[in-house]
Amino acid sequence: AEGLDTTAITARVATIRAQIEAAIEAGACGALREAELLRPNASGPQARFLSLRDPRAVDWKNALMASNIVTDARDDVLRIGLGLYHDEADVAPFCEAVSKALA
């Protein structure tokens, strides 16, 4: 009824995802810049989460969770989820909080 499906939600968060990726690559999210940003489907639709490979992924997840930044880690991959409740104004505060949590 709301017109929300996987395609619509993915499109909604695509801009935010791109902004966070750019911020990570520019170093605005602190230590996350040291991780490998995984893009398994670089030429097609992206997932609604970012994946970063680094041997510290589990430690980072724990530090982020301790700072109330909800993430997930699977082995050496940190996952940062995006949803309808995120918007472009969240990117800078997210990066600032991550930088502090991982310092």
Side-chain angles (χ1 to χ4, degrees), residues 43-67:
S43 63
Q46 298 296 308
R48 291 185 310 268
F49 58 87
L50 287 91
S51 296
L52 298 121
R53 178 171 284 131
D54 190 278
R56 299 167 288 182
V58 172
D59 293 334
W60 284 351
K61 180 224 182 238
N62 293 334
L64 293 168
M65 292 293 282
S67 294

Side-chain angles (χ1 to χ4, degrees), residues 30-86:
L32 295 185
R33 184 171 197 246
E34 300 165 18
E36 174 190 2
L37 184 58
L38 303 177
R39 293 183 177 115
N41 190 20
S43 63
Q46 298 296 308
R48 291 185 310 268
F49 58 87
L50 287 91
S51 296
L52 298 121
R53 178 171 284 131
D54 190 278
R56 299 167 288 182
V58 172
D59 293 334
W60 284 351
K61 180 224 182 238
N62 293 334
L64 293 168
M65 292 293 282
S67 294
N68 203 29
I69 302 168
V70 178
T71 60
D72 185 27
R74 303 201 180 156
D75 297 320
D76 65 346
V77 176
L78 179 72
R79 293 170 41 145
I80 302 167
L82 301 169
L84 287 174
Y85 44 86
H86 294 115

